[in-house]
Every structure is written in C-alpha cells, then in structure tokens.
Amino acid sequence: MNGAGTAPGPGLGDVQHPGLEGRSRFRMRAKEDGEPQDWWFASTAIPLLAATIGPLANLLSIAALVSPWRNRFPDGGSRRDAESRGFPDPHWCIILNACSLICGFAGNIFLLFNFARRVRYIIALPLTILLWYLATGILIAIIAAINNYVPPNRPQETYSQGFWYAIIAAVLYLFSSMILMVNMLGYFLGHYPQHFTLTDHQRTLMLQTMMFFIWLGGGGGVFARICGWSFADAIYFCDVTILTVGFGDLYPTNDAGRGLVFPFSVAGIVMLGLVANSIRRFTLDISQDKIIKQHVEKTRIRTIGRAATASMGIRERRKSLGERATSREQGRRATLSKDEGRRKPKSLTKRLTNGVMSVTRVRPKKPKIILLKEERNRFDAMREIQRSTKVFKRWYNLCISVAAFGLLWCVGAIVFWKAEHREQGMTYFQALYFCYVSLLTIGYGDLSPKSNAGKPFFVVWSLLAVPTMTILISDMGETVIASFQRGTFQLADWTVLPKAGLWPGFLERNPWILLWIQRKVEERAAEKRIAKGFQAGIDDADGAPKTLEELAQEGPNEQNLPYKLSIAIRRVAGHIHTRPPKRYSYEEWVEFTRLIRFSSSTPEEVEEDEEEEGLINWDWIGEDSPMLASQEAEWLLDRLCESLSRYVKRQARKEQKIGDFAIVSGGDGTRGDICPTD
C-alpha cells in the first residue's frame, strides 16, 4: 500500500516491454487514405531508379552467362586483351550463373507488376528485394570461388569481359535492392501509402527501359551470330552504334551485318530518345514539385517576415510614442496638482480627458488610393518572387546537369585510366580527352576501350553519360543558348532585319519610356488645342487602362456589371493559350477583383468592404495568393465565370421576388401581374 507521498508504481497494464516503443513507430498505411505524403525521393525517385537499373543488370547478367570468364592469350602473342580467347568455365559456375540470372529476371518482373499494380505492393516489393539479393549473393559467390579456386594462370591467361560484366551486374543488383529497402522503410514508417507515387508517364519509364535493353541484347545476339563476334563484343558494338559514337574499332564485315545496321540503329536511337525524354521529364517534375516550390515558399515566407518585421516596428514606434505622450501627460498632471491644487477639479479632469483622448483617438480610415498603393507594394514583391523563381528554375536545372556531367566525366576518366593503362598506356589527361569525345558523341577513334575491363565499363558508363549530356544540352538551350539567341535576334531586329511591331514591344518592356513619350504627346496636343482656342486636356479613350487614381474614385455600379463581366471573360479567355503565360498588371487585377467581389455582394456591401479592407480581398504574398497559380489567366477565367453565374442567379431571385410581390398585391390573383406603385 502506497503512502501519501509515494508515487504509484506501474500496474500490470503499464509494463514496458523492451523494444515495444520502437515497434510502435511503424504505421503501414492503406492504398488510398488521403493523408499527406513526404519522403518524396524514397516514394518517387527510388522506384524509377530501380526500374531503370534493373533491366540493365539483367542484360549484364546475360553477358556474364554466355561469355567465358577466363581468356587465354595465343602463344607468342603480344598479350593484348583483344587477341585473347575464352575457354570453358566449370559446370557449377554456369549453373549458378543461370540461377542468378533467373532470380534477377524474376525480381524485375515483380517490380514491373508492382508498377502496373497487378500485384500488391506489400507482396511484390519484398519479393523483388529478396530475389535481387539472391542474384547478388550468387554472383559474388561465383566470383569469389573463381578467384580462389580456378583463377586464370597469369601471364598466359586473364579475366574476360564476362567476368567484369558479372561484377558490374552484382553491384547493380545490390544497389537496387538497398534503395528499394529505403522505399519499403518509408512505407513502414507511414510516410506514403501502399503503392508507388508515380504518374502515368513515370510508370512507362520501366517499360521503355526494358524494351531498350531487350533491343540492345537482341541486337547483340544477332550481330554476334552474323559477324562472328563474341556476345560481349557485339553488345559493345551495339552500344557504340545506338549512341552514335562510332569509334570504328568494330564494324560489320559482311553485307548482312551492314544491312541490319539500318533498322537496328534507327529503332535503337528512337528508343534511347524515349528513355532520355522520360528521364528528363521526371527530373523536371521533381524539380518543379519539390525544389522550385520550396524555393518559392521560402522566398515568400522570407518576404512576409520582412513585411511583418516592418509592421511590428511601426507598431512599436506608435506604442512608444503613445507611452511618451502618456508620460508627458502624467507629468503635466503632477505639476498641475502641485501648482494649481486650489483650482477646481473639473478643469483638471477636463484637461486630462482631452490629453488622453488626443493620444488614444481612433485613426481615421485610409483613402482608397492609399490602400491601393500599399497593396501595390506587396503585388510588386510577389512579381519579383516570380521573376527570381523563373531565373532560379532555369539555372538550377543547368547547375544540376553540369554537376552530373562533370562527375561522370572526371570519375569515368579515372576508371578508364586505370583500366587502359596496361593495355595502351593511357594517361589521365588522355582519359579525360577520351571521355569528353565520347560524351559529345564525336568518336574520332584515335582512343577507344580495348581492355576486357574497359569495354564492359564503357557500356554502362556511356548509357548513363550520353543521356546526361543530352539533358545538359537541353538545359543549356533554355539558359545560355536562349540568351545568345535573343541577343542575335535583337541585333538583327535593330540592324539588318527590322520587323514590324518592334517599337511597341520595346515600349511595353520599358514602360517608363512609354509614359515619357505619352506625356510629351499630351503636352504637344494641349498646346495645339490651346492655340486653336479649345479647352486643354485629352479625353480618355474607351478601353484604355485605368490608373490607380481612377480606380480609387470609381464606385460600384451594378448597371454595367454584365457588360464588364462579359468583356473581361472574353479578354481573359484569349490569354489562356498564350506563351509565355500572360501576367496581368496590378491595375488589371484590381478591376478583375472588383468584378469578382461585386457579384457576391450588394453595391453597398462592396463599398463598405472597399473602405475598410481595400479593393483586394487576399494577400499577394500569402498562401491564398492567385499569383501562385500555374496560369493567372486560367485562375481568373474560373473566378469570372463563377462571378457571372452568381450574378445571373441573383438577378433570377430578384425577378422571382418581384413576381411573388406582384401576385400577392393582386389580392384574388386575377391581376397578379400588376404591382401597385404607391
């Protein structure tokens, strides 16, 4: 029995088992639960990465299975890998190699079914991971056994391309299994539901990569048969052909092989282009959904923070001024109490009341023009965020592509330097030169991989590097090349190829020049009218853009609301498909906002709201800002159509009320269509 000051001990239901707290963190979600998702790299990027690497690992496993793992140099030869010939491997090596290929292929099939949602995620993904781990373990066991028990007898023998293909395949299987385990961990922790968070375009990436590697492997088998090459050399030839590198170290030696190059190269280039385009679209989706949106959000929050700090500073200054005024009034009160103690309390109370009222009086409402100018600053701040985001998006993608290009270039050069140094005495600078020529698909042919280790690595490296180079060129087209192109176009427009409408576009991009020209034109027109005896001033043209002063003075008007709504809808609808997307000025937004607000309230309510809140009923840099929409025209068109629908419904209700009132006023209903005027 516990005493009064003793804490109660744990009951039977409160016993803490070791590890229970850690197990309770796992929360497996259903397929579609509507909850937010995070760990976007694990849920989206990892499945696509595994789907791209898996078929490549299967192809390399096939090359490792059909090729001997050891080669023998001819007697009296030069000990070059290209002159070596394979000899049979032990039967257990071939059998285990086939088992590894079956496991790897089955894991790829389950991953494909997982992508297509033919097999449940919780069943297909563990099977894929397990089968790929088995494929990795078998390959590692064969490699270790060959190296320990039946290694090549040097210097007469060496490892073949099949041996190095097996090593690379084991690495790819292991890497894919490990990253898929990260994806499964995210599911167990409840970061995303029980499926891959992928779009339809992303799901087709795995099918495209499988088709491409089937085409590459099938072509290798056909060319090996026709041209008398080994399957490993045929894979290398097909890779060089599809990537349009063309070193010239391997080429068809008969007309049948030359004839097959036509359909094989065209179809292979098309398939490679589809894969590269899907990968680029995937990288753009990730950067747009995650990196770019995070950049916009951080910039917007930082801008809001600066605005809030400024507002707090103003409030603090006002508060300090009020406190100082109050302290001065209290000091004056003490002085008055001391020097004028015999005066009537009434006069002192009156003076104190006047002093306090002078400090705490209510600030009058701001004029509309002041509210509009204050909102204009936030509007301009959001436009600056959009402009900086556009620049950030272009240069961010370019920087990522340059970094990937540099990594593949420099790291690839290190591997080729080590692999080809014994075979052809390649230096690191020559390796950099070779990688650069290969990345740009120039392919002079003065340097090419000749070792049994260099050719398999080139196949894998080139399949990664050349699409990366394609993406880099595309990103450069949106930044560096686009800037150069705009410069040449502008030079041609102002010199040898002047085009119509050049000045209006220039003035639109530089509004201060347009305003200066308009002011000068108005002054000259006024001088001419004064000289002719007419009154100075130019009447505003119909449809001309209104200034902030005109918008502030213009009051709500319900009579011409349908006309203005129809004109605004027609105008905005014409901007839906414009490229680049239309961005409206602050004055245009004020007009659109008034039309949207007018249909949901009475003119009196609109006038009162504009007096208290201004003409804009959202924060330009807030979370509800319409400028965060992908297209401003599309957002406005939806709101204007909703506004027109509300106006029509409101008018119908008014007519219904008038009709009901007329029927009631008719008494017996015989003259229900007549409404008394008094």
Side-chain angles (χ1 to χ4, degrees):
M1 186 173 182
N2 296 330
T6 306
L12 293 177
D14 299 329
V15 176
Q16 307 240 346
H17 298 281
L20 184 61
E21 182 179 357
R23 289 195 298 270
S24 63
R25 294 175 56 187
F26 291 99
R27 183 175 64 90
M28 292 179 287
R29 293 164 54 175
K31 290 184 177 180
E32 300 292 344
D33 52 9
E35 296 184 16
Q37 303 180 18
D38 52 3
W39 281 31
W40 61 269
F41 186 83
S43 63
T44 304
I46 284 180
L48 286 177
L49 191 59
T52 306
I53 295 176
L56 175 60
N58 292 155
L59 176 63
L60 302 186
S61 294
I62 295 174
L65 175 63
V66 301
S67 303
W69 284 22
R70 297 166 299 171
N71 282 2
R72 181 177 291 117
F73 295 109
D75 296 335
S78 59
R79 297 292 190 272
R80 298 294 182 184
D81 287 351
E83 298 177 359
S84 62
R85 295 293 179 267
F87 59 93
D89 294 320
H91 293 292
W92 56 266
C93 178
I94 299 174
I95 295 173
L96 291 177
N97 208 341
C99 293
S100 173
L101 176 61
I102 293 172
C103 291
F105 186 74
N108 209 19
I109 291 296
F110 277 110
L111 184 63
L112 178 62
F113 287 161
N114 198 350
F115 267 64
R117 298 190 180 183
R118 300 297 182 183
V119 181
R120 292 178 57 192
Y121 172 91
I122 197 61
I123 297 176
L125 189 61
L127 285 176
T128 299
I129 295 173
L130 178 62
L131 289 169
W132 279 355
Y133 268 129
L134 285 175
T136 303
I138 294 173
L139 284 177
I140 293 176
I142 301 173
I143 293 169
I146 288 288
N147 189 60
N148 290 331
Y149 298 107
V150 284
N153 186 18
R154 299 182 185 277
Q156 290 80 17
E157 298 175 355
T158 185
Y159 284 118
S160 68
Q161 296 184 48
F163 176 82
W164 296 106
Y165 273 125
I167 293 178
I168 299 175
V171 172
L172 294 181
Y173 280 137
L174 180 62
F175 177 75
S176 301
S177 303
M178 293 175 66
I179 61 176
L180 285 179
M181 287 188 67
V182 176
N183 177 271
M184 179 167 284
L185 176 64
Y187 162 67
F188 282 141
L189 295 178
H191 291 284
Y192 36 81
Q194 194 183 120
H195 60 78
F196 292 140
T197 309
L198 304 173
T199 63
D200 292 338
H201 293 289
Q202 294 170 353
R203 293 181 187 278
T204 58
L205 176 60
M206 184 176 184
L207 183 61
Q208 292 173 352
T209 54
M210 289 186 66
M211 292 176 58
F212 173 75
F213 288 119
I214 289 173
W215 185 258
L216 184 64
V222 173
F223 279 106
R225 180 74 175 178
I226 292 178
C227 299
W229 298 327
S230 65
F231 182 76
D233 284 338
I235 289 292
Y236 167 77
F237 165 77
C238 294
D239 175 73
V240 171
T241 302
I242 291 177
L243 297 179
T244 67
V245 179
F247 291 123
D249 51 348
L250 280 179
Y251 49 86
T253 56
N254 50 49
D255 291 340
R258 296 187 184 101
L260 285 176
V261 168
F262 295 110
F264 175 77
S265 60
V266 172
I269 291 172
V270 171
M271 292 181 184
L272 180 64
L274 291 175
V275 173
N277 182 60
S278 298
I279 294 174
R280 169 168 170 74
R281 182 179 298 177
F282 165 66
T283 56
L284 290 178
D285 290 342
I286 287 183
S287 63
Q288 177 66 33
D289 294 341
K290 304 301 176 183
I291 308 299
I292 305 302
K293 288 184 178 180
Q294 288 179 4
H295 173 76
V296 173
E297 187 66 15
K298 289 180 180 178
T299 308
R300 188 181 62 83
I301 292 175
R302 191 163 54 246
T303 305
I304 293 175
R306 288 198 299 265
T309 303
S311 301
M312 289 177 63
I314 294 173
R315 288 196 296 268
E316 290 295 332
R317 287 196 295 272
R318 288 176 178 172
K319 182 179 179 181
S320 62
L321 289 174
E323 290 176 352
R324 278 186 284 177
T326 306
S327 63
R328 285 197 301 268
E329 191 62 35
Q330 291 175 353
R332 184 186 306 170
R333 177 180 179 183
T335 304
L336 289 173
S337 299
K338 181 178 179 181
D339 297 340
E340 302 178 3
R342 294 186 178 182
R343 293 187 181 181
K344 295 181 179 180
K346 182 178 180 180
S347 61
L348 177 60
T349 306
K350 183 177 181 180
R351 293 188 64 178
L352 286 174
T353 305
N354 292 336
V356 175
M357 289 299 295
S358 65
V359 176
T360 60
R361 64 179 182 271
V362 180
R363 183 174 57 87
K365 294 180 180 179
K366 293 182 180 180
K368 286 183 182 180
I369 184 62
I370 302 298
L371 294 173
L372 285 174
K373 290 182 178 180
E374 290 179 352
E375 290 291 336
R376 177 65 179 265
N377 295 332
R378 301 180 73 84
F379 178 85
D380 293 339
M382 192 61 193
R383 277 283 182 251
E384 179 61 24
I385 292 174
Q386 290 179 324
R387 188 198 64 79
S388 64
T389 300
K390 184 178 180 180
V391 176
F392 172 81
K393 176 182 177 181
R394 291 177 177 176
W395 290 99
Y396 171 81
N397 293 334
L398 179 62
C399 291
I400 295 298
S401 300
V402 169
F405 170 81
L407 183 65
L408 288 170
W409 182 23
C410 298
V411 174
I414 294 175
V415 177
F416 286 116
W417 171 38
K418 296 296 183 181
E420 300 295 330
H421 183 71
R422 182 188 64 84
E423 190 71 16
Q424 49 185 326
M426 181 178 289
T427 63
Y428 182 68
F429 176 77
Q430 291 175 338
L432 284 173
Y433 164 79
F434 163 72
C435 291
Y436 188 80
V437 171
S438 302
L439 283 169
L440 295 180
T441 66
I442 298 174
Y444 290 123
D446 53 342
L447 290 176
S448 60
K450 293 181 172 58
S451 65
N452 289 337
K455 288 182 178 179
F457 179 77
F458 178 83
V459 171
V460 178
W461 176 82
S462 60
L463 290 174
L464 297 176
V466 173
T468 302
M469 187 65 193
T470 304
I471 296 174
L472 173 61
I473 294 175
S474 178
D475 292 334
M476 290 180 63
E478 297 179 357
T479 52
V480 180
I481 299 175
S483 300
F484 180 77
Q485 187 178 24
R486 286 194 298 268
T488 55
F489 283 167
Q490 291 179 0
L491 180 62
D493 292 340
W494 291 100
T495 54
V496 296
L497 297 173
K499 66 178 182 179
L502 177 63
W503 275 103
F506 174 76
L507 295 177
E508 184 178 355
R509 292 189 299 271
N510 300 274
W512 64 274
I513 300 179
L514 178 60
L515 293 176
W516 181 81
I517 294 175
Q518 289 177 346
R519 187 168 61 252
K520 291 298 181 181
V521 171
E522 291 177 0
E523 291 175 358
R524 288 188 179 182
E527 292 175 358
K528 290 181 180 179
R529 283 194 298 274
I530 291 174
K532 293 180 180 180
F534 291 97
Q535 183 180 1
I538 299 178
D539 296 331
D540 292 333
D542 295 336
K546 298 179 181 179
T547 62
L548 289 181
E549 289 76 9
E550 294 173 344
L551 290 171
Q553 294 174 1
E554 184 182 32
N557 187 358
E558 192 172 8
Q559 281 70 28
N560 58 356
L561 178 61
Y563 173 75
K564 287 188 174 182
L565 274 174
S566 61
I567 294 299
I569 290 174
R570 180 179 180 182
R571 176 186 171 193
V572 173
H575 299 152
I576 291 292
H577 301 291
T578 56
R579 291 292 180 271
K582 173 69 175 177
R583 291 185 174 180
Y584 298 96
S585 64
Y586 177 69
E587 290 78 8
E588 291 174 319
W589 271 106
V590 172
E591 289 191 78
F592 291 138
T593 307
R594 175 172 279 170
L595 292 175
I596 294 171
R597 175 187 286 179
F598 210 153
S599 63
S600 60
S601 306
T602 62
E604 294 77 11
E605 294 173 344
V606 172
E607 183 70 23
E608 183 179 356
D609 291 342
E610 291 180 357
E611 291 291 342
E612 294 181 356
E613 304 175 5
L615 275 69
I616 304 298
N617 56 352
W618 52 68
D619 187 4
W620 291 115
I621 56 177
E623 295 181 355
D624 59 342
S625 173
M627 300 171 71
L628 292 175
S630 58
Q631 283 195 5
E632 295 180 8
E634 184 177 353
W635 188 93
L636 274 174
L637 185 61
D638 291 340
R639 300 308 181 276
L640 290 172
C641 290
E642 292 174 2
S643 183
L644 182 60
S645 176
R646 286 196 302 267
Y647 175 79
V648 172
K649 292 179 181 178
R650 191 172 70 185
Q651 293 300 113
R653 286 195 298 268
K654 285 184 179 180
E655 294 178 359
Q656 182 68 29
K657 289 180 181 179
I658 293 174
D660 294 342
F661 179 70
I663 293 174
V664 172
S665 300
D668 56 356
T670 57
R671 299 293 302 275
D673 56 335
I674 300 177
C675 181
T677 59
D678 52 349

